[in-house]
Each structure stands twice: as C-alpha cells, then as structure tokens.
C-alpha cells in the first residue's frame, strides 16, 4: 500500500463513464482540468431530485417546494463547510468560476475603480480572470497590470511586492494554474496584498479538486470555483465573499429572489446571499454539487492530494524520458497538470493520434493565450490528472506519445 | 497504428509537413491573404502571382499542425500554372473530399487524394481546408479568412 490510503482502482468503479471505450480502446481520461467525470452518487442524486423532489425554491408553501428548498440550502451549507467559510450566507451560487469573477468585477471592484486606478493580475491567468478586468479597466480608464512569471511558471514575488501600489483596487490570481499546474503560495500572496490594503480574489477552479482549501486560513476576500471541475454537474459554481464585503456590494443581476419588495416607486433588495442570486437558480446543479462535495469528503482530500502528488511525479518522470518532449510549467509546487510540447509535432497532431489510442488530452492554448506566448509556443498538449487516474493511464499516455513519434519520424 | 490513422497521416502529408514546398514569398506576388484559426493556432500567409487569369507563382509562410501545413504545400503544387477558375474548381473538389461529401475521380484528385482520410476526422477539416480557403480569398481580394 502506498503512502496515500485509498485505492484508485476501487474509486474508478464509482465512475460509470470510465468503463467506456473510444475507438475500440478503453478510455484513458486525462482531460480533468477541462472537466471531470461524475461518480454515480452525483448522477443518481440529480436523477433523484428530478424524480422525487423537483420544485421551485424559496417560494412555495407546498411540501415539494419545502423539500427542494431544504436540499438546495443544504447544498449551500456543504459548500460552506467544504471551503471553511464562516457562514452559508457568504456562499453565492453562480454558473461557475467565470460568472463569479464577473460578479466581483461588476459589483465589488467597479464602484471603487476610478480613472488611473489599477487592477492587478498575474501572467498565468485563465482568460476568465483576464477579460473581465480588461473590460472593466477599459470602461473606467483604469490600468490592468500583470505580475510576471519566471521560466518555471512561478509568480515572481519580488515583482508582486513592487506592483501592489496605493492605486491597486484588487489583486486577482489563480490558486492553481490550469496551463502550467503551478500551485501558488496563496496565503503569502494574500498577506502581501493585505499588507498594502489591497483586497484579493482567488480563482480556485483548479485547486478545489486537488487540495484542501480553507478560505479563512488563507484570509481570501473572494474565492471562486466551478462545480463541473469538482466531479459535479456543469452550470453551477460558487463565489465565496466575506460578509462585510458582500453586504456593501450593490446587486449584480436584477430579478426575482434578490428583492424584498418591488413597487414602481421603489424596490428594496434581499439580504446576502440571495441579493446576488436573481432568478430561479440551478437547483439540480447545486444539489449535484453538494453530492460531489460529499463524495470527495468520503474519499478524503488529503488522500487525494497525496495520491496525486505521487502520480504527478510518476507522470513527470515518464514524460521526461520521451525524446524531444519539453515540459511547460516546472514550478516546484505543482498539481495535476502535465503541459508539454513535442519537437516537430504540432499539439493538434499529438491530440488526434493519442485520441485514436483511447487517450483524451487537451491541445491548444487552454484559454491562456498569454501563457503560451510567455513560453513562446503556439499551443501545448496537456494531460491533467484526477484521483481516478492510475499509473496505467500514464503508461498508456507514454505509449501513445511513442506512437506519435513513430508517425512523425 | 489504426487504418484511419494511417489514412490521415499518409506519407505525402508527413513529407509536405517536414519539407513544405514553396515555403517563401514569391518576389512578384500580387495577391495576398491570411488564413488564421485562432482557436487552434494554425496561422498562414499566402501569396499568389496572378498573370491575367493564370496563377504564375505561389508561396506561403506560417505555422500550424501537420495537416494544415501539408495542405498548403500540396495545394501550391497543384495550382501553380493553373487558371483562377481551375483553382476555384479544385477548391470545390478538395472541400467535398475532406468533408466526405463526394469522393473525386482518382485522376482528378491526384495528390489531393492524400487528404481523403480527413473526412474521418471532422475536427480536422478546418485544418485541411484553411489554406484552400485563404487561396480562394486571395483570388477574390479578401484579407483574412478563418475556417473555424
């Protein structure tokens, strides 16, 4: 038995899609940074909701509505416990990470961002943590500033220090990089920002499936993630914000549920979190996310982190042995992601050929074009791990890559 | 390697990817177009030297996947010396070939036939057809095209 204490072969049985074949080969799913597969527990919980509980929430006095509301709010409590928030009111359900970031940009940063002010991000961000800020800065005449990363894929902390100025209104950065796999020293970076009075938004989309997150220990002002990357359904995510910040924010979208009363003369708004949840929510999605959190809790994030560390080390070593392979993203602390190029072979050709061998990886710019430019590559091939991957999966990737080399030699 | 893979990455394609023909700008180029698929990163510049209705010379530059580069290279060898109308007709033949719409005459296809396997890989059709689309654009005086 390895250092981590769970059996990946046993958990694979929980994921029905993993026994699929593609092109008559067993599926080797290594595209988890794009989206994760779902355990039966999550699939069944969603089916169960629609079969026995489905009703709109917060509005009815009939039993089904009460039941649905209870399940929905219970899911909110699960998210709160999962990331260590102080209270459920600090958890806003969104469509995903992208929407969460846009919400913060619009409702928190916009009112306090004036001409000449600054928004600070890093050079490793996903487009969802770049474009909302570009749009906002352009609208306000503010400056978007970017903390550089080094050749290994780490944020240059000395630069961060000088780039936190008294005009910086927000510092937004990722916990784990989707293109490079870098795990940032979040607590330290937040402390640096707070030392200059700068609030922080952390993009945790690639972190929560792999490492335990405690937003209060990190002292994050805002933390966002997506359900579908956490073995939950698509179309749901969560935004955590400190109560004091959320309470002071104007509404994001207007509509039902986020109001207290509506008249032609005046409309008053609901308390948090509902103020930021206009319209009928993705009820089934939230409940599915709750079930995913339960499932991950049973497996144990510490077990997951330890196991994935070993697997990532195995994968890194295996790929390093492939002639002409260059790993992009070699930070000391990494999670899940193996991004690479192969000399003389375009990533799309890599992707097509390994797909024929049943191996699913992603090729392209991974919604991180600035990262690709930083490393002077048009695109990379990316294998990304989850706890249901095995050494055999890595071996299959290695064999498929050797096939690629065969074709192109 | 599977049959389909063998069909997709035929020797002609691998050869033209490794050693693209006409991989430079012709000195007397008078038509130019850009082919760019931003989502996948295939990016090429194409030049034609049109002499009346005849394509006297062809050249291209840029980077992308093996399918797109080989396609541009093979295309160049097929259209040089042909008329603009003939080139447009070839575009149609090629398009039908790679989308699987219609298998061309063996003779008519010539080297084009090497791309027949693309029809089994719908995601790669846009790679194969990018250069051809740009060439048609160049004939019509278009600036930049995309096949995404």
């Amino acid at each position: 038995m390895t250092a981590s204490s769970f059996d990946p072969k046993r958990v694979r049985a929980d994921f029905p899609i993993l026994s699929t074949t593609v092109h008559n080969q067993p599926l080797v799913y290594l595209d988890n940074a794009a989206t994760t597969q779902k355990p039966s527990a999550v699939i069944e919980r969603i089916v169960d909701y629609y079969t026995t509980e489905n009703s709109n929430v917060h509005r009815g006095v009939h039993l089904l509505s009460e039941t649905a509301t209870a399940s929905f709010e219970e899911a909110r409590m699960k998210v709160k416990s999962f990331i260590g928030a102080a209270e459920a009111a600090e958890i806003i359900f969104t469509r995903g990470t992208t929407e969460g970031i846009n919400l913060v940009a619009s409702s928190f940063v916009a009112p306090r961002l004036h001409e000449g002010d600054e928004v600070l991000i890093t050079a490793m961000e996903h487009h969802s943590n770049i474009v909302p800020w570009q749009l906002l800065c352009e609208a306000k005449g503010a400056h978007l500033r970017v903390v550089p990363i080094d050749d290994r894929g780490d944020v240059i902390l000395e630069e961060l220090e000088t780039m936190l100025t008294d005009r910086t209104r927000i510092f937004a950065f990722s916990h784990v990089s989707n293109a490079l796999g870098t795990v940032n020293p979040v607590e330290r970076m937040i402390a640096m920002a707070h030392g200059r009075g700068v609030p922080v938004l952390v993009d945790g989309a690639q972190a929560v499936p792999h490492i335990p997150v405690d937003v209060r220990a990190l002292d994050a002002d805002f933390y966002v993630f997506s359900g579908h990357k956490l073995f939950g359904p698509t179309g749901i995510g969560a935004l955590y914000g400190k109560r004091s910040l959320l309470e002071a924010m104007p509404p994001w979208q207007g509509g039902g549920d986020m109001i207290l009363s509506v008249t032609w003369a005046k409309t008053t708004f609901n308390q948090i979190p509902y103020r930021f949840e206009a319209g009928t929510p993705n009820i089934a999605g939230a409940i599915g996310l709750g079930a995913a959190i339960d499932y991950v809790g049973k497996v144990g994030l510490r077990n997951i982190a330890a196991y994935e560390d070993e697997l990532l080390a195995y994968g890194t070593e295996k790929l390093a042995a492939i002639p002409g392979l260059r790993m992009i993203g070699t930070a000391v602390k990494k999670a899940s992601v193996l991004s690479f190029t192969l000399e003389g072979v375009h990533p799309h050709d890599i992707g097509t050929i390994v797909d024929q061998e049943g191996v699913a990886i992603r090729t392209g710019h991974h919604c991180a074009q600035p990262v690709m430019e930083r490393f002077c590559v048009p695109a990379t091939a990316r294998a990304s791990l989850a706890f249901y991957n095995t050494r055999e999966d890595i071996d299959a990737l290695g064999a498929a890559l050797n096939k690629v080399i065969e074709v192109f030699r | 390697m599977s049959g389909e893979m063998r069909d997709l990455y035929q020797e002609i394609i691998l050869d033209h990817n490794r050693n693209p023909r006409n991989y430079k700008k012709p000195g007397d180029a008078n038509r130019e177009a850009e082919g760019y698929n931003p989502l996948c990163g295939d990016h090429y510049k194409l030049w034609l030297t049109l002499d009346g209705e005849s394509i006297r010379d062809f050249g291209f530059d840029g980077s992308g996947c093996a399918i797109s580069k080989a396609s541009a290279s093979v295309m160049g060898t097929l259209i040089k010396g042909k008329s603009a109308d003939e080139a447009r007709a070839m575009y149609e033949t090629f398009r039908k070939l790679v989308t699987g719409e219609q298998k061309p005459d063996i003779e008519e296809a010539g080297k084009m036939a090497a791309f027949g396997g693309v029809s089994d890989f719908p995601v790669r059709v846009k790679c194969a057809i990018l250069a051809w689309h740009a060439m048609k654009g160049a004939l019509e005086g278009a600036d930049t095209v995309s096949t995404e």
Side-chain angles (χ1 to χ4, degrees):
Chain A
M1 200 43 139
T2 49
S4 55
S5 51
F6 85 102
D7 182 359
K9 295 204 172 63
R10 227 189 40 227
V11 303
R12 283 177 74 86
D14 293 337
F15 292 79
I17 204 172
L18 293 180
S19 44
T20 294
T21 57
V22 296
H23 306 298
N24 298 315
Q25 311 264 16
L27 169 68
V28 176
Y29 188 77
L30 290 169
D31 194 17
N32 294 287
T35 199
T36 54
Q37 302 303 346
K38 321 303 171 195
S40 306
V42 169
I43 301 169
E44 282 157 19
R45 183 66 187 91
I46 295 173
V47 171
D48 199 50
Y49 165 74
Y50 280 121
T51 312
T52 63
E53 293 174 45
N54 180 58
S55 190
N56 210 329
V57 295
H58 301 145
R59 288 169 198 150
V61 294
H62 56 84
L63 180 64
L64 272 192
S65 169
E66 281 174 35
T67 312
T69 301
S71 296
F72 179 73
E73 292 302 332
E74 188 189 34
R76 194 190 304 274
M77 288 293 302
K78 293 181 190 201
V79 173
K80 166 221 160 227
S81 302
F82 181 63
I83 58 171
E87 37 171 335
E90 292 177 317
I91 305 296
I92 297 165
F93 280 123
T94 60
R95 279 186 317 157
T97 306
T98 301
E99 183 165 70
I101 296 174
N102 277 277
L103 196 164
V104 172
S106 169
S107 273
F108 176 73
V109 184
R112 60 191 60 208
L113 191 71
H114 303 108
E115 201 176 340
D117 282 347
E118 293 165 6
V119 170
L120 188 62
I121 61 174
T122 80
M124 69 169 69
E125 299 311 312
H126 182 286
H127 294 166
S128 65
N129 204 19
I130 299 176
V131 183
W133 308 115
Q134 287 178 320
L135 294 173
L136 184 61
C137 285
E138 191 174 320
K140 297 282 193 160
H143 305 297
L144 182 64
R145 303 193 68 207
V146 183
V147 186
I149 58 179
D150 64 21
D151 290 337
R152 302 195 61 145
D154 276 310
V155 172
I156 302 177
L157 294 177
E158 294 77 22
E159 293 283 343
L160 171 58
E161 186 67 62
T162 62
M163 293 176 85
L164 287 161
T165 72
D166 54 11
R167 302 220 61 174
T168 313
R169 299 291 164 246
I170 185 104
F171 174 40
F173 66 97
S174 46
H175 195 151
V176 175
S177 161
N178 75 308
L180 304 168
T182 306
V183 178
N184 278 316
V186 174
E187 211 172 319
R188 182 159 167 214
M189 289 163 75
I190 293 182
M192 287 168 74
H194 285 173
R196 304 297 303 263
V198 177
V200 166
L201 174 142
V202 180
D203 171 359
Q206 300 292 344
V208 296
H210 306 294
I211 50 187
V213 170
D214 184 337
V215 294
R216 274 184 291 169
L218 298 175
D219 198 24
D221 299 293
F222 299 101
Y223 196 95
V224 289
F225 68 92
S226 299
H228 74 96
K229 295 200 205 273
L230 182 62
F231 319 101
T234 49
I236 189 78
L239 159 65
Y240 159 79
K242 289 177 178 169
R243 175 182 269 278
S244 56
L245 300 179
L246 293 177
E247 275 181 333
M249 282 157 60
W252 151 240
Q253 292 177 333
D257 249 14
M258 49 76 68
I259 48 91
L260 281 180
S261 70
V262 181
T263 66
W264 296 119
K266 183 180 168 63
T267 289
T268 59
F269 301 115
N270 209 340
Q271 57 192 344
I272 63 164
Y274 310 108
R275 185 190 310 164
F276 297 103
E277 294 180 359
T280 299
N282 184 354
I283 305 166
I287 291 172
L289 172 57
I293 288 173
D294 285 342
Y295 180 83
V296 168
K298 273 211 219 72
V299 178
L301 261 175
R302 292 195 195 282
N303 293 331
I304 288 173
Y307 172 69
E308 285 185 7
D309 263 346
E310 277 172 32
L311 197 59
L312 185 66
Y314 180 73
T316 306
E317 203 185 305
K318 186 114 191 159
L319 292 187
I322 294 179
L325 189 142
R326 173 186 168 208
M327 196 71 78
I328 308 285
T330 49
V332 175
K333 262 206 116 218
K334 277 185 66 177
S336 167
V337 166
L338 294 158
S339 220
F340 59 93
T341 58
L342 202 51
E343 201 184 312
V345 192
H346 194 276
H348 280 115
D349 298 308
I350 300 175
T352 298
I353 296 176
V354 308
D355 170 56
Q356 287 294 297
E357 304 298 311
V359 178
I361 60 173
R362 187 144 296 250
T363 62
H365 55 61
H366 315 295
C367 294
Q369 285 178 357
V371 176
M372 298 297 116
E373 265 193 58
R374 168 65 177 83
F375 289 91
C376 299
V377 293
T380 70
R382 180 190 71 185
S384 47
L385 313 172
F387 63 88
Y388 43 63
N389 290 121
T390 59
R391 289 187 171 217
E392 286 75 18
D393 288 343
I394 304 277
D395 292 341
L397 172 64
L401 290 175
N402 283 321
K403 276 245 161 61
V404 173
I405 294 175
E406 239 179 77
V407 170
F408 277 81
R409 277 296 129 84
Chain B
M1 189 174 24
S2 75
E4 287 117 342
M5 198 47 57
R6 219 180 292 275
D7 285 341
L8 180 63
Y9 288 100
Q10 285 194 30
E11 196 45 50
I12 290 186
I13 292 180
L14 296 175
D15 176 30
H16 278 258
N17 175 53
R18 247 181 264 118
N19 303 301
R21 321 295 198 253
N22 302 296
Y23 196 52
K24 60 183 185 323
K25 180 177 178 177
D28 54 357
N30 55 18
R31 287 277 200 279
E32 178 180 309
E34 199 180 335
Y36 181 34
N37 285 343
L39 289 187
C40 76
D42 296 333
H43 197 170
Y44 299 98
K45 246 205 165 89
L46 248 96
W47 298 279
L48 302 173
T49 308
L50 272 188
D51 196 352
E53 276 301 297
S54 170
I55 300 174
R56 195 150 45 80
D57 207 351
F58 164 85
F60 82 104
D61 199 345
S63 66
C65 64
I67 305 291
S68 63
K69 189 178 274 186
S71 178
S73 175
V74 169
M75 178 187 77
T77 65
L78 290 173
I79 64 171
K80 267 218 278 201
K82 298 286 192 297
S83 72
D85 275 344
E86 283 171 311
R88 283 190 199 101
M90 278 191 211
Y91 167 89
E92 274 308 309
T93 309
F94 186 80
R95 187 188 61 75
K96 289 180 186 159
L97 169 71
V98 296
T99 57
E101 192 181 314
Q102 188 179 359
K103 270 197 165 70
D105 218 65
I106 301 279
E107 276 180 42
E108 200 190 337
K111 266 182 283 174
M112 231 192 252
F115 293 88
V118 174
S119 58
D120 283 326
F121 296 85
V123 185
R124 306 302 298 280
V125 170
K126 61 180 166 74
C127 306
I129 207 164
L130 182 60
W132 287 87
H133 208 66
M135 181 270 294
K136 197 155 86 88
L139 290 175
E140 276 143 33
D143 242 339
T144 310
V145 304
S146 171
T147 50
E148 259 158 4

